[in-house]
């Protein structure tokens, strides 16, 4: 893979591949126009992650559900990644984390448990974390 880099007197810019666009908040999103309709395939915190997903989508000839979002239910606010889902019209927070990977891990557990607090608490996971910190579980 060849990286094309542009340089000016004060900044260095890396060429962003086709279908990837950088948002104002620094995240990268994948968009593609299909049949005259602009479809969105997700937002990613790094260009490398966006490139990996773009390669996957292109390998599948874009025959992937465009509603999939890698960062779905994760929002970045006040320096933390929040796992949040709107249930019955109300915002429900399932934790906040300094690290994006920890937030993704917790979000995946919540999705696997169908966002049921009782199931999430009972979820058997070797590496228990709450608010990004490991915790002890007593049986």
């Amino acid at each position: 893979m060849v990286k094309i880099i542009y340089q000016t007197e004060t900044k260095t810019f890396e060429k962003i591949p086709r279908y990837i666009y950088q948002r104002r908040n620094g995240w990268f999103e994948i968009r593609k126009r299909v049949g005259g309709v602009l479809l969105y395939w997700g937002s990613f915190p790094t260009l490398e992650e966006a490139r990996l997903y773009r390669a996957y989508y292109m390998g599948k000839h874009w025959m992937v559900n465009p509603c999939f979002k890698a960062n779905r239910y994760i929002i970045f606010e006040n320096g933390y990644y929040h796992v949040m889902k709107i249930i019955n019209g109300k915002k429900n927070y399932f934790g906040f984390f300094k690290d994006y990977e920890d937030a993704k891990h917790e979000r995946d557990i919540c999705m696997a448990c169908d966002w049921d607090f009782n199931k999430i608490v009972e979820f058997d996971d070797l590496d228990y974390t709450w608010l990004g910190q490991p915790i002890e579980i007593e049986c």
Side-chain angles (χ1 to χ4, degrees):
M1 173 171 53
V2 177
K3 289 186 179 181
I4 300 171
I5 297 180
Y6 299 98
Q7 242 174 351
T8 66
E9 292 178 15
T10 57
K11 292 185 178 181
T12 301
F13 298 94
E14 184 176 344
K15 182 175 173 159
I16 297 176
R18 188 174 184 185
Y19 308 124
I20 298 176
Y21 302 88
Q22 188 168 16
R23 295 179 4 197
R24 287 184 185 161
N25 66 1
W27 283 50
F28 298 88
E29 68 182 26
I30 299 174
R31 291 181 276 160
K32 184 178 188 289
R33 193 169 295 278
V34 177
V37 177
L38 185 64
L39 298 177
Y40 169 80
W41 268 273
S43 296
F44 308 89
T46 65
L47 179 57
E48 283 306 310
E49 193 172 353
R51 280 185 175 148
L52 287 172
Y53 277 94
R54 175 183 154 258
Y56 170 75
Y57 298 145
M58 290 176 80
K60 295 281 187 181
H61 304 286
W62 298 95
M63 300 303 285
V64 180
N65 181 1
C67 298
F68 170 78
K69 297 180 187 174
N71 65 328
R72 189 172 187 167
Y73 306 119
I74 299 174
I75 57 173
F76 186 75
E77 269 181 7
N78 302 323
Y80 289 94
Y81 295 96
H82 299 261
V83 178
M84 188 271 298
K85 182 175 192 300
I86 297 174
I87 301 172
N88 297 328
K90 293 184 180 180
K91 288 183 181 180
N92 288 277
Y93 289 89
F94 294 83
F96 62 96
F97 307 85
K98 277 281 192 191
D99 183 53
Y100 177 71
E101 291 302 317
D102 290 339
K104 277 186 10 181
H105 178 74
E106 184 69 19
R107 184 269 323 264
D108 292 343
I109 290 172
C110 293
M111 289 175 71
C113 295
D114 199 28
W115 302 94
D116 181 343
F117 282 108
N118 295 326
K119 288 181 185 175
I120 293 167
V121 171
E122 293 172 4
F123 189 83
D124 186 29
D125 187 20
L126 296 176
D127 149 15
Y128 289 99
T129 58
W130 180 250
L131 304 179
Q133 298 296 319
I135 57 171
E136 300 271 336
I137 301 294
E138 292 183 16
C139 296

